[in-house]
Amino acid sequence: MNIQNNPSLMDQLAASYALGTLRGGARRRFETLARDNATLRAAALVWQSRLSSVAELQPQEAPSPVVWQRIENLVRADKEARAMQAARVAPGAVGWWSSLGLWRGGAAAGALATVVAVVVGLNVNGRLSGQVSELTAKLTATPEIEYVAVLTDDKASASLLVTFDPKNKTLVLKRVGNFREPPDKSLELWALPPGAGAAAKSLGVMGADSVARLNVADTDMRRVPALAITLEPKGGVPPGTAATGPLLFKGALIETPK
Amino acid sequence: MLFMKPESPDRQLIALLDRVAQADEPALRELYELTSSKLYGVAIRVVTNREWAEDVLQEAFFNIWRIAGDYKATLSPPMAWMALVVRSRGLDFLRRRASDRADLMQELDDVISDTVAGDSPNPMDTTQASEQAWALHQCLGRLEHKQREVVSLAYLRDLSHGELAEQLKLPLGTVKTWIRRGLEQLRGCMARFA
């Protein structure tokens, strides 16, 4: 059938195309025709524009205030990341995360942390997304928890979930990935410094269990932009010294609504 | 002039989107306050669950923050453009979930049957809607409730005739007829607003 001589059929097909109910072979034939036929193309565009307003006409409902807080976290992290990218000079020969000098450059560390925050926010992988929603739900239900972090490896796979309960001054680390350190090594948790010129602070060492609870002062957690895990000799580095091993996981510390 | 004419919602939103494109955070906040209830409503209709809809709204606004500069290139009213961002994040969300969970369709099924069964006279909300939406609202208002619902759901959730028939437990022929008649009536009606 030659639809080009049938304006009413052309319009009907354009409407089904825009609505999305024209499917399969019929849809492909329509697209082929529309590429050669300006009238058909225009009809499809008119319908797409008309129907786009369907979305505008749905009943309203106010979302929970938590949503804005989450958006704000993401936006702030994104702004910092952009600012850092603009300010960043060509990276030198020193590996970013293997260099501890970097950790003392709080701003640079913040930038990486924010990249991680953005990745978390974008929910790049379904599993991570589920964990973040789960955590958020848990946090809403448990007002004592004030901070949360999802520590990920360099492929953005979640490896550790961290929550901080200021009432009990307990940091809970939960393994979620498959990573297991060698028996002669330990995972050590570090709080990245809030500003330039300060050093990363060790928060403790994880045992071999899948969950670890570390006692920390809430002053240790305040204004910390991100947490990181390094691989250290069994039992961790001597108190007051800097990390020696490679950085395995990192993630932004996100303050949760109270 | 002492008294300024109140800005049309469209112009106000376009000005805000412009500022958001310049990474103006307070503008995003203002945009959120003006539109989040409407857009959350869209998200709920697409994903059918308030908790998921919050995730979708969050993703959509972060997306708007990043791509507000693209708005200029479109000819859509600003609210329609933002609603499409929400719809598309919502559909992505459903696809991600569908791959996780086989029982999603069952859940959707129940919710949609409820939606369509409840024969409320006119659930549409035109607050903050563009003029174009107002015209569509007038025209959709002339359809029977069920026809309107089927057309809206086909669009919002990107469902085929077959999927609609299955989820609404209606014969395929009925769905096809309702959609065809709905679109025909819209066509006659919208032509008058063109």
Side-chain angles (χ1 to χ4, degrees):
Chain A
M1 181 176 34
N2 186 356
I3 70 155
Q4 310 204 23
N5 300 326
N6 189 338
S8 136
L9 181 59
M10 271 169 74
D11 199 58
Q12 200 185 310
L13 286 171
S16 318
Y17 172 80
L19 187 67
T21 48
L22 191 70
R23 301 255 161 154
R27 189 172 189 88
R28 285 191 293 277
R29 281 195 295 284
F30 179 89
E31 285 165 347
T32 309
L33 275 176
R35 280 188 196 102
D36 293 334
N37 186 320
T39 315
L40 197 57
R41 211 156 56 229
L45 288 173
V46 166
W47 273 106
Q48 277 176 341
S49 152
R50 285 172 178 168
L51 288 170
S52 70
S53 290
V54 167
E56 285 187 67
L57 296 172
Q58 303 312 310
Q60 299 205 38
E61 188 170 325
S64 138
V66 176
V67 180
W68 172 253
Q69 196 150 7
R70 276 151 54 186
I71 295 167
E72 200 176 31
N73 274 335
L74 289 172
V75 164
R76 297 243 157 107
D78 184 53
K79 274 182 102 164
E80 279 176 44
R82 286 195 215 179
M84 277 312 300
Q85 207 164 19
R88 196 167 127 192
V89 273
V94 186
W96 270 71
W97 277 97
S98 55
S99 149
L100 281 194
L102 166 77
W103 284 26
R104 296 187 180 96
L112 273 180
T114 53
V115 170
V116 175
V118 170
V119 167
V120 171
L122 285 176
N123 294 343
V124 278
N125 84 40
R127 195 165 145 217
L128 187 54
S129 149
Q131 280 152 359
V132 171
S133 339
E134 182 201 312
L135 271 177
T136 314
K138 206 152 103 192
L139 289 165
T140 323
T142 325
E144 302 85 53
I145 295 177
E146 258 184 19
Y147 298 97
V148 57
V150 180
L151 305 192
T152 61
D153 63 17
D154 55 359
K155 291 176 194 65
S157 311
S159 299
L160 280 171
L161 301 182
V162 183
T163 49
F164 178 62
D165 170 358
K167 207 165 78 185
N168 301 311
K169 301 193 179 8
T170 309
L171 203 57
V172 179
L173 286 80
K174 189 175 164 207
R175 294 178 194 251
V176 291
N178 297 321
F179 181 86
R180 287 291 171 269
E181 62 276 23
D184 59 333
K185 300 278 186 193
S186 291
L187 298 184
E188 187 153 2
L189 181 70
W190 301 84
L192 268 57
K201 186 176 166 57
S202 172
L203 295 175
V205 172
M206 249 195 119
D209 298 338
S210 64
V211 176
R213 283 169 213 280
L214 303 175
N215 292 321
V216 294
D218 46 5
T219 48
D220 285 344
M221 300 304 288
R222 215 163 286 149
R223 297 187 57 230
V224 165
L227 300 176
I229 290 272
T230 58
L231 189 65
E232 299 296 345
K234 191 88 186 164
V237 298
T241 61
T244 61
L247 180 118
L248 296 176
F249 315 119
K250 58 191 185 288
L253 189 65
I254 297 162
E255 194 166 350
T256 60
K258 285 176 209 67
Chain B
M1 215 165 74
L2 266 177
F3 299 98
M4 299 223 331
K5 191 178 157 224
E7 277 187 285
S8 80
D10 280 8
R11 284 178 50 193
Q12 189 186 8
L13 296 179
I14 290 170
L16 285 172
L17 279 170
D18 239 13
R19 285 170 54 201
V20 171
Q22 317 292 320
D24 181 336
E25 208 184 311
L28 186 75
R29 171 85 221 210
E30 219 177 304
L31 191 66
Y32 184 84
E33 303 218 320
L34 287 171
T35 61
S36 58
S37 295
K38 167 102 314 182
L39 296 175
Y40 184 51
V42 174
I44 293 174
R45 282 276 280 178
V46 176
V47 301
T48 72
N49 169 310
R50 285 179 169 70
E51 196 186 319
W52 303 348
E54 287 188 351
D55 286 356
V56 168
L57 187 65
Q58 172 197 326
E59 284 185 30
F61 259 91
F62 187 54
N63 206 20
I64 288 170
W65 164 253
R66 293 163 69 113
I67 64 167
D70 296 353
Y71 172 69
K72 274 196 186 142
T74 74
L75 296 173
S76 318
M79 188 57 103
W81 182 77
M82 288 190 284
L84 284 185
V85 173
V86 172
R87 170 183 177 259
S88 114
R89 303 262 47 102
L91 292 174
D92 278 356
F93 185 94
L94 289 180
R95 277 190 282 270
R96 280 202 308 261
R97 258 193 92 81
S99 54
D100 289 354
R101 302 185 48 160
D103 59 344
L104 171 69
M105 275 327 188
Q106 183 54 43
E107 282 174 38
L108 265 182
D109 200 359
D110 297 342
V111 181
I112 296 179
S113 307
D114 290 348
T115 318
V116 178
D119 204 24
S120 59
N122 188 352
M124 286 179 284
D125 189 334
T126 54
T127 327
Q128 280 284 345
S130 61
E131 278 177 38
Q132 175 182 285
W134 175 250
L136 184 75
H137 170 72
Q138 298 295 307
C139 293
L140 281 173
R142 295 178 198 194
L143 301 183
E144 269 176 52
H145 175 68
K146 289 190 175 193
Q147 281 185 16
R148 189 166 66 221
E149 277 295 289
V150 171
V151 170
S152 299
L153 289 179
Y155 181 74
L156 285 174
R157 295 185 190 143
D158 197 22
L159 298 174
S160 69
H161 289 134
E163 287 161 342
L164 283 164
E166 196 182 313
Q167 294 189 16
L168 302 175
K169 299 190 172 56
L170 289 167
L172 183 60
T174 307
V175 168
K176 285 186 174 172
T177 308
W178 283 3
I179 290 210
R180 198 188 63 240
R181 285 201 197 134
L183 287 176
E184 254 162 41
Q185 288 182 40
L186 277 186
R187 183 177 146 215
C189 179
M190 292 297 282
R192 269 177 277 135
F193 286 93

